[in-house]
């Protein structure tokens, strides 16, 4: 289990400046200034100067979704959705964008990319993917993955995912990410060739570490606690919101029943007829207005969902820290025990239990030569162990430093994004209230006009 | 727009501008009541939402107000115009002040009836008596007996399922009081019924029970004669106009029944929606407790949703208390009107039968016998009374439903305005930059 060292092969030159925040189709990533500086300083290992990709402003969009059929690994026919990813570079001077790359990817490839990033950047809060299956649905929405509304929302979510990576100062430099956007064929093989699956930590190991680690950094413990709570509260919120949407839909739809009966009533009335007809019509308009309202609200739910899944990513970083810390503690413990063994052998006292000691007792004392040999081996091991401990310590501190930097970045992003989400939610409610209030007012005015005739 | 038909009296009864505020009056009624006698030409006044200078603390809601151009104030103007063009009132009746009486045998509610009149039929200019539902029921039966050719307004339902409805709850009593008030006002407005002796006794007698026991026969001539109309006469042809009224009432009651059912369903759905909203708001509070910079915005949203929930609750209550009872009242009205129509049919049938009998006797004398003439008289009076009452009823119905529908629309508008204000008030809170508040070293901010 090693932390991926910044590999020049995997990284591209410059980094973008501003993080993006929200997913808007085709937002650009400005990389120019950084690129300039990098080239001047000649920093970084291999400079991919032959690749001008990152030296211009780029726009990424997931512009289309298409149903496909194909054969899966078990040679069975399956239906899946493919998404078109288009990358454009924007000319500085005239702002025109030129399509540089366009390819199709399916959800599983996005997953592969993300899993790769999780392994190679364990200190980064990796942006989450939109949900695999529709959850927190209310009755009108289909839970079917092939449903066009679901596909559309997923398209937006995937685009957002890519934009988040592209705007991340470290992740955007990753070569595999670059190839994801540019190399249609063989990309999967390329990823697998990195052997990242082997480097992944086993879940069992991670779980073990969580329970056994003695001195994790308190900040990470607190952060993990926070991410658990965040996940719990957002789930609750989304569940209740879905129920609220369901009920609201019911209220509006029953109003729709008024339309017909008011119309029938108006037929038997003389003076009241027109007014009643108008009332019926307005009831119908009212009833049908719920569809737009709830569609807008789904967008808000998606924004919350992203942070629900981000909580998981946050927890992953904490777990990684625990794992590293545990590893360190074990190594230190191991070293300490070896040192003690060595000491005992040297001084002839036996305090610690060792198998050798046991067998010695059973089968007779060892010779001084044998003992010397053993001490030598132990000393070598101790040396090695000390080196390892030193590097692990270094690694650990680097991890904490880098991880915490990214966590701070993430916190700012989260606060910004969620505030914006709440504002647009409030704006949505305001516009809905105005619209519906206006509708009633129009109706009352028309009724009063009719009845005054 | 103009003043409405001058002959029709608004069914909600005469309003002493000082004593009786308009049922729909909110704070905006001041402008309507302020003696504005010219009809407003600007029915299509647009509401402006940004006009209010209400400064709301986070999550605060103003007490229920309606904005200046609300439909209720427009309605006030129309109503007043009708009043001013109508006849001068000389009889005012109000039902209020319900009180619970606990006796050994039973518990019941009485209502205060206040009467002010300049009519000669009343010895004093003002009366105040207490009556219970039973008394209203007695009055209605007496009116039906003594004025069978007229349409008697309905009473709210007599029986309530004991387990389901609390007869002594504030809401129930208030709903009933309103309906009883309406009942008396309708009689007050009626040019014939308002002079009925039973009505007078009801309004003035200290102890109604004495009169009930005495069973004073205060039947009018008409009442007496119609009372003796035997059934069993088959009606040959119903005059078109009465047939049309019958058909109309059938369909009318049917449609109202459907509307009532829909309204009940809406209320049920709204209540269920409210339950969910009441759970939704607090989750934002829970979240707020986890956060630093986001704590205030989230708390703001929670309070906002709470305010919207309260507004919805008020709307649902209004619908139950104001909308449904009127629908039910008109359904009951239709039923009682149908039975009056039947009676009329019988009177006509008797006349026709007698007439035919005379014709069959083939007497030389062309003169029609007295009793046949009496029957014809009866029938023609009945027809005339009924036609007049129908016209009055139609006018009142139009006004009542206008008020009802506009009232509901207005309540809805008020609901949306309350929600609007709640959300608008938190926008500045959400946009606030919180710089020095939360230090960077804080773990969760």
């Amino acid at each position: 289990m090693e932390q991926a060292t910044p590999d020049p092969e995997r990284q591209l030159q410059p980094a973008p400046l501003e993080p993006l925040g929200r997913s808007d189709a085709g937002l650009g990533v400005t990389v120019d200034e950084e690129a300039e500086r990098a080239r001047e300083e000649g920093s970084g290992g291999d400079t991919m100067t032959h690749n001008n990709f990152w030296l211009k402003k780029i726009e990424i969009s997931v512009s289309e979704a298409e149903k496909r059929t194909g054969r899966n690994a078990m040679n069975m026919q399956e239906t899946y959705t493919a998404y078109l990813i288009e990358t454009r570079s924007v000319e500085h001077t005239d702002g025109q964008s030129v399509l540089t790359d366009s390819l199709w990817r399916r959800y599983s490839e996005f997953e592969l990319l993300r899993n790769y990033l999780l392994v190679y950047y364990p200190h980064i809060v990796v942006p989450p993917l939109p949900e695999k299956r529709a959850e927190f649905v209310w009755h009108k929405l289909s839970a079917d993955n092939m449903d066009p509304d679901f596909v559309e929302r997923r398209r937006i979510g995937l685009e957002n995912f890519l934009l988040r990576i592209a705007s991340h100062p470290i992740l955007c430099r990753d070569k595999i990410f670059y190839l994801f956007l540019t190399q249609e064929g063989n990309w999967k093989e390329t990823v697998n060739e990195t052997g990242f699956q082997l480097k992944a930590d086993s879940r069992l190991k991670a779980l073990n570490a969580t329970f056994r680690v003695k001195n994790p950094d308190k900040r990470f413990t607190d952060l993990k606690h926070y991410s658990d709570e965040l996940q719990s509260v957002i789930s609750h919120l989304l569940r209740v919101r879905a129920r609220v949407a369901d009920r609201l839909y019911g209220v509006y739809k029953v109003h729709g029943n008024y339309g017909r009966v008011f119309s029938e009533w108006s037929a038997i009335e003389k003076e009241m007829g027109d007014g009643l007809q108008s009332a019926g019509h307005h009831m119908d308009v009212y009833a049908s207005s719920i569809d737009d309202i709830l569609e807008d609200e789904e967008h808000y739910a998606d924004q919350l969902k992203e942070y629900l899944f981000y909580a998981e990513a946050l927890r992953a970083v904490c777990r990684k820290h625990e794992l590293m810390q545990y590893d360190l503690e074990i190594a230190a413990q191991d070293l300490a025990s070896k040192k003690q063994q060595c000491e005992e052998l040297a001084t002839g006292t036996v305090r610690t239990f060792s198998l050798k000691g046991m067998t010695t007792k059973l089968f007779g004392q060892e010779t001084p030569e044998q003992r010397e040999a053993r001490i030598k081996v132990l000393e070598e091991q101790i040396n090695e162990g000390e080196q390892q401990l030193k590097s692990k310590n270094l690694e650990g501190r680097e991890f904490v430093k880098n991880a915490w930097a990214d966590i701070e970045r993430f916190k700012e992003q989260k606060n910004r994004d969620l505030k914006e989400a709440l504002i647009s939610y409030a704006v949505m409610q305001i516009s809905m209230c105005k619209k519906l209030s206006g509708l009633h007012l129009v109706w009352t005015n028309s009724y009063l006009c009719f009845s005054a005739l | 727009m103009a003043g409405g038909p001058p002959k029709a009296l608004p069914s909600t009864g005469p309003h002493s501008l000082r004593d009786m505020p308009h049922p729909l009056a909110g704070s905006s009624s001041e402008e309507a009541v302020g003696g504005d006698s010219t009809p407003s030409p600007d029915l299509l006044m647009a509401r402006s939402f940004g006009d209010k200078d209400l400064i709301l603390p986070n999550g605060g809601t103003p007490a229920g107000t309606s904005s200046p151009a609300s439909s209720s104030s427009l309605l006030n103007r129309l109503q007043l115009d009708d009043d001013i063009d109508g006849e001068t009132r000389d009889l005012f009746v109000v039902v209020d002040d319900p009180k619970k009486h606990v006796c050994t045998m039973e518990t019941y509610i009485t209502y205060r009836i206040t009467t002010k009149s300049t009519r000669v039929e009343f010895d004093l200019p003002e009366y105040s008596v207490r009556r219970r539902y039973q008394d209203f029921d007695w009055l209605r039966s007496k009116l039906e007996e003594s004025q069978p050719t007229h349409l008697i307004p309905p009473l709210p339902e007599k029986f309530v399922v004991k387990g389901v409805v609390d007869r002594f709850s504030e809401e129930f009593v208030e709903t009933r009081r309103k309906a009883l008030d309406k009942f008396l006002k309708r009689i007050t407005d009626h040019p014939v019924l308002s002079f009925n002796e039973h009505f007078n006794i009801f309004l003035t007698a200290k102890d109604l029970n004495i009169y009930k026991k005495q069973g004073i026969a205060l039947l009018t001539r008409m009442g007496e004669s119609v009372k003796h109309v035997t059934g069993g006469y088959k009606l040959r042809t119903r005059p078109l106009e009465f047939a049309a009224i019958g058909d109309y009432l059938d369909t009318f009651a049917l449609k109202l029944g459907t509307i009532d059912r829909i309204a009940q369903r809406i209320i049920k759905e709204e209540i269920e929606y409210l339950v969910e909203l009441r759970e939704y708001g607090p989750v934002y509070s829970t979240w707020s407790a986890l956060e630093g910079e986001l704590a205030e915005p989230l708390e703001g949203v929670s309070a906002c949703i709470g305010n919207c929930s309260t507004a919805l609750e008020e709307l649902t209550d209004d619908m139950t208390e104001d909308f449904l009872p009127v629908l039910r009242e008109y359904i009951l009205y239709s039923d009682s009107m149908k039975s009056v129509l039947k009676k009329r049919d019988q009177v006509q049938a008797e006349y026709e039968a007698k007439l035919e009998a005379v014709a069959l006797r083939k007497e030389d004398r062309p003169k029609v016998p007295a009793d046949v003439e009496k029957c014809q008289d009866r029938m023609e009076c009945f027809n005339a009374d009924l036609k007049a009452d129908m016209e009055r009823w139609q006018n009142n119905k139009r006004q009542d439903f206008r008020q009802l529908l506009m009232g509901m629309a207005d309540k809805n508008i008020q609901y949306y305005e309350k929600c609007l204000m709640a959300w608008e008030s938190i926008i500045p809170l959400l946009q606030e930059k919180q710089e020095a508040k939360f230090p960077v070293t804080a773990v969760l901010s």
Side-chain angles (χ1 to χ4, degrees):
Chain A
M1 169 224 67
E2 78 219 35
Q3 185 182 346
T5 45
D7 182 345
E9 273 299 301
R10 275 193 190 82
Q11 295 199 339
L12 302 170
Q13 265 268 12
L17 292 179
E18 323 90 32
L20 283 174
R22 254 334 285 159
S23 149
D24 293 319
L27 267 190
V29 177
T30 316
V31 297
D32 321 59
E33 286 97 313
E34 190 74 353
E36 289 299 313
R37 212 189 319 139
R39 268 182 291 157
E40 279 165 55
E41 293 169 3
S43 66
D46 262 1
T47 56
M48 319 263 277
T49 46
H50 65 276
N51 165 34
N52 287 328
F53 191 72
W54 294 104
L55 301 183
K56 289 195 157 68
K57 194 167 175 172
I58 62 159
E59 286 175 2
I60 305 175
S61 65
V62 177
S63 46
E64 274 171 52
E66 212 175 73
K67 226 173 183 167
R68 300 257 177 97
T69 40
R71 291 207 173 271
N72 66 7
M74 289 167 281
N75 208 35
M76 294 199 299
Q77 189 151 66
E78 58 167 0
T79 320
Y80 63 91
T81 311
Y83 300 88
L84 178 64
I85 307 173
E86 293 180 317
T87 318
R88 293 178 157 75
S89 77
V90 183
E91 294 292 325
H92 230 344
T93 44
D94 57 4
Q96 292 276 55
S97 71
V98 170
L99 187 68
T100 53
D101 290 279
S102 137
L103 40 69
W104 292 87
R105 294 252 184 248
R106 53 186 292 193
Y107 188 86
S108 57
E109 291 175 280
F110 282 84
E111 276 184 309
L112 191 59
L113 172 65
R114 186 164 192 273
N115 289 338
Y116 160 83
L117 291 173
L118 283 172
V119 171
Y120 274 101
Y121 302 90
H123 59 292
I124 303 286
V125 183
V126 178
L129 282 170
E131 54 194 354
K132 193 163 184 137
R133 265 163 283 279
E135 272 179 70
F136 306 110
V137 289
W138 58 281
H139 89 278
K140 195 205 168 203
L141 290 186
S142 161
D144 172 24
N145 282 7
M146 289 292 146
D147 174 52
D149 285 330
F150 178 76
V151 169
E152 173 59 16
R153 293 201 349 265
R154 190 187 248 194
R155 183 193 66 74
I156 294 170
L158 291 174
E159 184 178 276
N160 188 49
F161 168 72
L162 294 177
L163 291 172
R164 292 266 191 214
I165 298 177
S167 65
H168 191 286
I170 295 169
L171 295 179
C172 70
R173 297 192 213 180
D174 188 272
K175 179 171 174 180
I176 295 291
F177 172 60
Y178 168 69
L179 292 175
F180 181 85
L181 297 174
T182 57
Q183 179 189 71
E184 184 148 26
N186 270 332
W187 177 81
K188 276 215 278 225
E189 287 73 11
T190 312
V191 185
N192 289 327
E193 272 165 25
T194 62
F196 79 93
Q197 278 110 337
L198 299 170
K199 298 201 173 87
D201 300 316
S202 81
R203 288 198 75 94
L204 194 60
K205 209 168 170 200
L207 198 63
N208 198 28
T210 305
F211 288 117
R212 295 224 187 142
V213 67
K214 294 200 184 90
N215 289 314
D217 185 315
K218 186 174 184 298
R219 290 180 298 173
F220 282 93
T221 318
D222 288 344
L223 187 66
K224 195 163 91 129
H225 189 61
Y226 166 75
S227 67
D228 285 339
E229 306 244 285
L230 186 70
Q231 194 168 45
S232 159
V233 85
I234 298 185
S235 302
H236 189 195
L237 194 63
L238 287 169
R239 263 198 311 279
V240 182
R241 194 212 70 89
R243 290 205 303 263
V244 167
D246 217 358
R247 290 298 177 195
L248 190 62
Y249 184 78
V251 171
Y252 275 74
K253 282 309 170 191
V254 180
H255 274 88
N257 294 341
Y258 271 147
R260 197 174 81 165
V261 67
F262 271 94
S263 180
E264 289 168 357
W265 182 9
S266 78
I268 61 168
E269 295 288 344
K270 295 193 201 85
E271 291 95 347
M272 277 173 73
D274 289 335
L276 291 175
Q277 186 77 287
S278 149
H281 165 73
H282 281 95
M283 284 294 111
D284 287 338
V285 174
Y286 180 78
S288 63
S289 64
I290 188 63
D291 296 308
D292 286 340
I293 291 168
L294 289 178
E295 200 180 292
D296 289 339
E297 282 209 3
E298 280 311 312
H299 177 64
Y300 171 67
D302 283 340
Q303 289 174 294
L304 293 181
K305 265 184 223 173
E306 193 193 11
Y307 278 92
L308 174 69
F309 303 141
Y310 252 128
E312 180 64 54
L314 209 57
R315 205 187 10 255
V317 176
C318 297
R319 267 204 304 266
K320 183 68 181 181
H321 163 75
E322 280 172 349
L323 204 55
M324 291 180 79
Q325 181 65 15
Y326 178 65
D327 214 43
L328 188 76
E329 286 171 7
I330 293 294
Q333 215 180 315
D334 199 46
L335 185 68
S337 120
K338 284 205 162 71
K339 280 187 174 165
Q340 184 147 54
Q341 267 183 56
C342 202
E343 197 202 305
E344 284 170 8
L345 278 179
T347 57
T349 56
V350 181
R351 260 171 299 150
T352 54
F353 174 81
S354 75
L355 202 54
K356 203 68 187 171
M358 205 51 214
T359 51
T360 312
K361 278 210 142 96
L362 291 172
F363 301 113
Q365 277 276 27
E366 53 184 0
T367 62
E369 294 82 15
Q370 282 175 322
R371 209 173 60 187
E372 276 305 314
R374 275 218 290 146
I375 291 177
K376 202 167 178 138
V377 164
L378 271 176
E379 277 176 348
E380 262 174 45
Q381 286 180 342
I382 288 170
N383 238 342
E384 224 177 274
E386 275 177 343
Q387 293 296 336
Q388 270 196 10
L389 193 63
K390 213 162 150 188
S391 78
K392 276 198 207 295
N393 249 315
L394 201 68
E395 256 178 58
R397 278 202 296 276
E398 271 299 298
F399 178 88
V400 166
K401 185 180 87 172
N402 294 331
W404 207 255
D406 197 58
I407 286 161
E408 289 298 330
R409 181 205 61 80
F410 168 76
K411 276 185 208 162
E412 302 264 303
Q413 176 199 295
K414 176 204 80 176
N415 288 339
R416 230 181 7 249
D417 288 350
L418 288 174
K419 258 206 208 168
E420 251 183 68
L422 290 176
I423 291 172
S424 66
Y425 186 60
V427 167
M428 211 192 319
Q429 301 298 323
I430 288 168
S431 107
M432 174 190 87
C433 287
K434 284 191 175 165
K435 178 172 152 192
L436 294 169
S437 177
L439 179 71
H440 277 87
L441 193 63
V442 165
W443 167 36
T444 57
N445 282 338
S446 90
Y447 189 95
L448 288 173
C449 271
F450 283 127
S451 52
L453 290 170
Chain B
M1 193 214 90
K7 287 181 189 67
L9 302 173
S11 68
T12 44
H15 297 296
S16 158
L17 294 183
R18 286 174 304 281
D19 298 344
M20 295 163 221
H22 192 282
L24 282 184
S27 58
S28 65
S29 66
E30 270 95 280
E31 8 162 51
V33 177
D36 176 22
S37 59
T38 51
S40 159
D42 41 359
L43 267 177
L44 297 173
M45 239 192 293
R47 241 175 229 273
S48 49
F49 292 115
D51 273 349
K52 299 189 211 301
D53 284 331
L54 289 161
I55 298 155
L56 297 167
N58 177 27
T61 352
T65 54
S66 48
S67 55
S70 73
S71 61
S72 61
S73 72
L74 293 171
L75 209 59
N76 284 348
R77 290 213 173 92
L78 289 174
Q79 208 88 29
L80 269 172
D81 294 329
D82 289 334
D83 279 2
I84 281 155
D85 289 338
E87 293 134 48
T88 41
R89 310 246 177 291
D90 58 0
L91 176 64
F92 298 86
V93 179
V94 178
V95 179
D96 64 3
D97 191 34
K99 273 200 165 58
K100 193 164 162 180
H101 299 258
V102 183
C103 306
T104 39
M105 292 302 285
E106 55 174 349
T107 306
Y108 60 91
I109 306 266
T110 62
Y111 304 85
R112 179 176 65 187
I113 320 289
T114 311
T115 308
K116 290 187 186 154
S117 179
T118 54
R119 289 186 183 179
V120 294
E121 290 81 7
F122 292 91
D123 296 330
L124 301 172
E126 193 167 326
Y127 289 89
S128 180
V129 296
R130 289 218 145 250
R131 298 282 180 250
R132 55 186 290 190
Y133 184 91
Q134 265 179 16
D135 302 332
F136 284 84
D137 201 29
W138 169 87
L139 173 63
R140 190 169 193 281
S141 318
K142 286 297 174 200
L143 286 174
E144 271 191 316
E145 257 178 51
S146 57
Q147 315 272 181
T149 60
H150 288 286
L151 301 174
I152 315 296
L155 275 177
E157 270 139 356
K158 187 177 201 152
F159 299 109
V160 284
V161 183
K162 282 231 171 116
V164 175
V165 180
D166 178 11
R167 288 180 302 140
F168 302 110
S169 75
E170 244 184 75
E171 295 85 28
F172 179 80
V173 171
E174 176 57 18
T175 304
R176 207 177 230 200
R177 184 204 63 79
K178 281 202 267 238
L180 294 174
D181 184 74
K182 197 91 176 277
F183 170 73
L184 290 184
K185 286 194 159 73
R186 281 190 166 122
I187 299 171
T188 308
D189 286 348
H190 198 287
V192 175
L193 295 179
S194 63
F195 288 95
N196 184 285
E197 281 150 313
H198 296 280
F199 184 50
N200 187 300
I201 287 168
F202 176 90
L203 292 176
T204 60
K206 281 232 158 51
D207 186 356
L208 197 62
N209 290 319
I210 300 174
Y211 286 95
K212 285 192 194 176
K213 286 192 186 112
Q214 285 179 351
I216 289 179
L218 296 171
L219 297 173
T220 62
R221 174 186 71 94
M222 182 56 73
E224 189 60 50
S225 56
V226 173
K227 196 173 164 197
H228 294 303
V229 168
T230 44
Y233 290 105
K234 198 172 165 204
L235 185 67
R236 203 86 53 78
T237 38
R238 194 177 288 114
L240 271 173
E241 57 185 325
F242 293 109
I245 291 173
D247 289 339
Y248 168 81
L249 288 174
D250 282 335
T251 312
F252 177 68
L254 209 67
K255 295 306 150 195
L256 282 192
T258 307
I259 292 175
D260 179 65
R261 274 193 304 281
I262 296 172
Q264 281 187 64
R265 177 105 180 268
I266 288 175
I267 289 169
K268 179 168 163 290
E269 296 281 342
E270 277 180 356
I271 288 172
E272 291 182 344
Y273 170 56
L274 189 65
V275 166
E276 300 298 349
L277 267 189
R278 291 275 187 217
E279 191 183 328
Y280 184 50
V283 182
Y284 283 96
S285 274
T286 310
W287 187 358
S288 155
L290 299 176
E291 297 287 340
E293 197 180 318
L294 289 178
E296 263 185 54
L298 287 170
E299 193 57 59
V301 171
S302 176
C304 191
I305 293 171
N307 288 335
C308 293
S309 306
T310 306
L312 180 65
E313 195 162 9
E314 285 163 14
L315 180 67
T316 310
D317 286 343
D318 285 336
M319 211 163 152
T320 310
E321 285 158 21
D322 298 330
F323 190 66
L324 294 181
V326 176
L327 294 176
R328 304 233 172 92
E329 176 194 300
Y330 267 90
I331 294 172
L332 288 171
Y333 218 156
S334 309
D335 289 341
S336 75
M337 284 159 76
K338 293 279 290 298
S339 39
V340 176
L341 280 172
K342 272 205 192 89
K343 259 190 254 156
R344 191 219 68 84
D345 284 350
Q346 278 167 15
V347 168
Q348 183 182 329
E350 189 187 1
Y351 166 65
E352 283 176 349
K354 292 215 167 122
L355 195 63
E356 208 177 293
V358 168
L360 284 172
R361 270 185 269 150
K362 287 185 179 132
E363 280 179 10
D364 290 326
R365 283 180 298 166
K367 189 181 169 208
V368 177
D371 67 330
V372 178
E373 236 181 61
K374 245 201 204 153
C375 269
Q376 185 183 27
D377 213 22
R378 223 183 356 242
M379 181 189 77
E380 280 170 1
C381 277
F382 207 140
N383 289 352
D385 284 348
L386 202 52
K387 263 160 73 173
D389 272 13
M390 266 315 292
E391 200 180 304
R392 190 173 295 114
W393 182 86
Q394 286 284 11
N395 283 330
N396 291 345
K397 175 208 76 182
R398 247 200 328 272
Q399 292 200 359
D400 280 352
F401 276 99
R402 183 171 69 184
Q403 198 169 74
L404 186 72
L405 295 172
M406 294 300 97
M408 275 324 296
D410 205 41
K411 287 281 185 314
N412 271 283
I413 291 173
Q414 282 176 38
Y415 161 69
Y416 286 116
E417 289 198 342
K418 285 178 201 164
C419 291
L420 185 72
M421 286 196 283
W423 286 106
E424 278 181 339
S425 74
I426 63 157
I427 295 271
L429 180 74
L430 294 175
Q431 288 172 331
E432 206 175 78
K433 295 261 181 238
Q434 316 209 306
E435 283 134 359
K437 265 192 182 181
F438 298 100
V440 180
T441 50
V443 179
L444 301 174
S445 49

